[in-house]
């Protein structure tokens, strides 16, 4: 329960009301009032004062304090300020939740006044009538500072818009570091913030513990999720612009013992490498994969743990096929990047749109190629395999550690061997390893023990190009900048297809596939380490389960 403060002329204490989220926008909720008689009657009832916005001149500083998008969304207009008190006009006295959001955002005490909803809308139009800001520019102003402004410090957190500035600086700093996600983690006496760069978590400056709830609330508002719900996980999305680029932040909250933990996944289209030549496939593997994906039907799988680049690989395959005479439909959970010319369907479990139901509907749209974000159950697997048998090229992913493990996984799901052997064309297992920084890389000579770990003997004289980064400002002293994929490509030959009917174990399949020429993850990593793209340590750490 939240307490509604009494106005200056009110008699008695404020009235306790339940904090419920109300649909955004003035004049929408049941408590909204539209005419002066209603306003005055409600003001007397709640002990609040009224304000005639037509007679008020809203200072420009207050217009900058609350951008138009938020003013319209909240149905609130700040019209005066006295020290730390912000006087705000509203048309709904019961919408305590929205007032509380504003208090968290601005770090000011909010004093509520009543005004008609129509007058609030006209005041918003009047205040912003002289601006030529586009909606996109206003989002940029709201979400991110200009490069070089703001810092994550206690001083900035104590000024009038400290929370907004702290959140802006946090996001901006993470993007400047090329982070893939930001982790905000509450502990007993600490509010820890980290970001993941090239797959490795790095510490960022911790905000003061007292800002924990306000920062999480600010980010939840930006992500359009309820700040009142703190007991259940929630997901949302934030759109921002940084240095002229549009980015999406995928927000996820999780209740913990010491408060809500939040992770922001940074989706930067500039990091999406749509070409097969950019994936890190060496020439021989790329040639084989290009031949496979130009076939008219069949199932091609990408496997690996979360964050191993499977979606990027499948997007690259789709972009290779994305021509005017080719129809492509995908179903994803969620749609991470929007691809021009490709029909992308987001999974919505709450409305019954699952991978399997979406896939059935997609096949009635007469596509040439379909992509299923992930095969999680027998039903989805069988629909995908039947689709490949009926003339469709199907792409999907599985969470298995290696290529041959995908076959065992599908058989364990209950897929019939004859269906699998007749449909599956190839499995591409992959990992991401950090690349040696191009600005500070230096030649090194590995020891015999290191070469033994890599699984290769001493390279021929004159071919050694091992590299290691010395550390520089460009790589933040790590010696690495960016990542490159290593692959294990299993092509279904007649012999492997015949083995599937015998329901072999993963180890038996792997042994036979290697005998037929399949290169393992570690062997592909060794080739990239010899070429100076990555280091032996990276390859060994990312292929710890590889028997080679």
């Amino acid at each position: 329960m939240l307490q509604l403060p009494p106005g200056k002329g009110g008699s008695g204490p404020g009235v306790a009301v339940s904090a419920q989220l109300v649909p955004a926008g003035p004049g929408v909720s049941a408590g909204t009032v539209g005419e002066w008689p209603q306003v005055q009657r409600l003001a007397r009832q709640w002990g609040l004062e009224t304000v005639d916005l037509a007679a008020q001149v809203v200072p420009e500083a207050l217009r900058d304090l609350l951008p138009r998008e938020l003013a319209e969304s909240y149905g609130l207009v700040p019209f005066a300020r006295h020290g730390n008190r912000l006087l705000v006009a509203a048309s709904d006295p019961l919408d305590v939740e929205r007032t509380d959001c504003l208090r968290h955002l601005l770090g000011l005490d909010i004093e509520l006044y009543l005004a008609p909803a129509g007058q609030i809308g006209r005041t918003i139009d009047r205040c912003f009538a002289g601006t030529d800001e586009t909606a996109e520019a206003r989002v940029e102003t709201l979400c991110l500072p200009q490069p070089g402004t703001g810092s994550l410090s206690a001083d900035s957190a104590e000024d009038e818009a400290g929370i907004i500035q702290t959140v802006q600086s946090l996001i901006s700093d993470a993007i400047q570091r090329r982070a893939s996600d930001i982790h905000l983690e509450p502990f007993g006496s600490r509010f820890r913030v980290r970001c993941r760069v090239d797959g490795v978590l790095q510490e960022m400056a911790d905000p003061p513990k007292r800002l924990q709830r306000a920062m999480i609330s600010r980010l939840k508002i930006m992500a359009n999720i309820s700040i009142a719900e703190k007991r259940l996980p929630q997901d949302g999305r934030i759109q921002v612009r940084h240095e002229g680029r549009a980015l999406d932040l995928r927000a996820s909250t999780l209740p913990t013992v010491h408060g809500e933990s939040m992770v922001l996944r940074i989706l930067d289209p500039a990091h999406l490498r749509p070409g097969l030549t950019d994936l890190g496939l060496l020439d021989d593997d790329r040639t084989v994969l290009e031949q496979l994906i130009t076939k008219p039907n069949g199932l091609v799988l990408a496997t690996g743990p979360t964050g191993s680049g499977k979606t990027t690989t499948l997007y690259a395959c789709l972009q290779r096929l994305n021509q005017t005479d080719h129809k492509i439909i995908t179903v994803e959970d969620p749609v991470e990047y929007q691809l021009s010319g490709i029909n992308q369907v987001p999974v919505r479990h709450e409305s019954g749109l699952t991978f399997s139901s979406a896939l059935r509907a997609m096949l009635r749209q007469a596509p040439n190629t379909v992509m299923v974000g992930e095969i999680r159950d027998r039903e989805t697997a069988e629909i995908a395999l039947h689709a490949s048998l009926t003339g469709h090229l199907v792409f999907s992913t599985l969470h298995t550690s290696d290529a041959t493990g995908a076959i065992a996984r599908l058989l364990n799901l209950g897929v019939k061997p004859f269906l699998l052997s007749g449909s599956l064309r190839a499995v591409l297992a992959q990992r991401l390893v950090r690349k040696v920084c191009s600005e500070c890389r230096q030649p090194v000579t590995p020891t015999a023990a290191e070469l033994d770990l890599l699984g290769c003997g001493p390279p021929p004289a004159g071919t050694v190009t091992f590299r290691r980064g010395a550390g520089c400002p460009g790589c933040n002293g790590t010696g690495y900048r960016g990542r490159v994929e290593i692959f294990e490509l299993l092509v279904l030959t007649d012999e492997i297809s015949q083995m599937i009917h015998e329901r072999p174990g993963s180890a038996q399949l792997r042994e036979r596939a290697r005998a037929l020429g399949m290169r393992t993850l570690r062997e592909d990593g060794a080739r990239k380490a010899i070429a100076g793209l990555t280091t032996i340590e990276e390859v060994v750490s990312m292929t710890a389960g590889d028997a080679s």
Side-chain angles (χ1 to χ4, degrees), residues 192-212:
R192 182 169 70 175
V193 177
R194 296 184 290 175
C195 65
R196 193 181 299 276
V197 180
D198 295 333
V200 178
L201 282 170
Q202 298 180 0
E203 294 276 357
M204 300 179 73
D206 288 350
K209 175 69 175 176
R210 70 180 186 277
L211 299 184
Q212 173 184 314

Side-chain angles (χ1 to χ4, degrees), residues 109-133:
D109 295 331
I110 304 299
E111 192 167 310
L112 204 62
Y113 285 70
L114 286 186
Q119 196 178 78
I120 287 176
R122 289 191 295 273
T123 304
I124 292 173
D125 290 338
R126 186 177 73 246
C127 287
F128 293 93
T131 66
D132 57 357
E133 271 190 312

Side-chain angles (χ1 to χ4, degrees), residues 272-301:
L272 181 64
R273 297 162 294 178
L276 286 175
T277 55
D278 301 317
L279 290 178
L281 285 160
L282 296 177
D283 291 343
D284 50 356
D285 284 339
R286 188 178 69 251
T287 299
V288 173
L289 184 60
E290 286 181 336
Q291 291 173 349
L292 287 167
I293 67 174
T294 53
K295 293 182 180 296
N297 67 322
L299 174 65
V300 177
L301 292 173

Side-chain angles (χ1 to χ4, degrees), residues 74 104-105 143-144 163-164 166-168 170-171 182-184 191 193 207 211-227 235-240 249-253 260-264:
Y74 285 14
H104 277 296
L105 285 175
C143 295
L144 290 180
I163 299 302
I164 294 178
T166 300
V167 170
Q168 289 173 346
L170 172 67
I171 297 174
I182 307 169
H183 297 251
L184 298 97
F191 185 36
V193 177
L211 299 184
Q212 173 184 314
R213 291 181 63 184
M215 288 180 65
I216 295 295
S217 293
R218 163 66 177 164
L219 287 165
K220 289 171 75 173
I221 291 166
M222 292 170 65
N224 197 29
I225 56 181
S226 170
I227 71 167
D235 295 294
R237 218 170 180 120
I238 303 170
Q239 290 187 328
V240 300
L249 309 183
R250 200 170 73 206
S252 171
T253 68
E260 289 181 286
S261 172
M262 177 174 274
V263 174
L264 302 173

Side-chain angles (χ1 to χ4, degrees), residues 59-227:
E60 193 159 337
L62 297 188
R63 305 178 197 178
D64 295 337
L65 195 61
L66 188 66
R68 178 172 186 158
E69 285 194 350
L70 277 187
E72 290 177 336
S73 175
Y74 285 14
L76 302 174
V77 175
F79 62 90
R81 179 177 175 180
H82 303 296
N84 202 46
R85 278 191 310 123
L86 186 67
L87 310 188
V88 176
S91 59
D92 186 358
L94 296 179
D95 196 353
V96 184
E97 181 68 26
R98 208 167 290 162
T99 309
D100 194 48
C101 290
L102 194 63
R103 180 174 59 81
H104 277 296
L105 285 175
L106 303 180
L108 300 173
D109 295 331
I110 304 299
E111 192 167 310
L112 204 62
Y113 285 70
L114 286 186
Q119 196 178 78
I120 287 176
R122 289 191 295 273
T123 304
I124 292 173
D125 290 338
R126 186 177 73 246
C127 287
F128 293 93
T131 66
D132 57 357
E133 271 190 312
T134 63
E136 199 171 59
R138 287 196 296 274
V139 172
E140 179 170 15
T141 301
L142 171 64
C143 295
L144 290 180
Q146 293 301 313
T149 65
S151 61
L152 195 59
S153 66
D155 289 338
S156 68
E158 291 171 358
D159 63 21
E160 64 182 21
I163 299 302
I164 294 178
Q165 182 63 39
T166 300
V167 170
Q168 289 173 346
S169 299
L170 172 67
I171 297 174
S172 183
D173 185 21
I175 293 172
Q176 294 285 5
R177 294 191 190 197
R178 302 176 297 104
S180 60
D181 41 68
I182 307 169
H183 297 251
L184 298 97
E185 304 162 308
F187 295 99
S189 59
R190 180 186 179 191
F191 185 36
R192 182 169 70 175
V193 177
R194 296 184 290 175
C195 65
R196 193 181 299 276
V197 180
D198 295 333
V200 178
L201 282 170
Q202 298 180 0
E203 294 276 357
M204 300 179 73
D206 288 350
K209 175 69 175 176
R210 70 180 186 277
L211 299 184
Q212 173 184 314
R213 291 181 63 184
M215 288 180 65
I216 295 295
S217 293
R218 163 66 177 164
L219 287 165
K220 289 171 75 173
I221 291 166
M222 292 170 65
N224 197 29
I225 56 181
S226 170
I227 71 167

Side-chain angles (χ1 to χ4, degrees), residues 43-58:
R44 288 192 297 270
Q45 179 182 344
W46 292 101
L48 296 174
E49 291 194 0
T50 62
V51 60
D52 184 1
L53 291 176
Q56 294 286 333
V57 177
V58 179

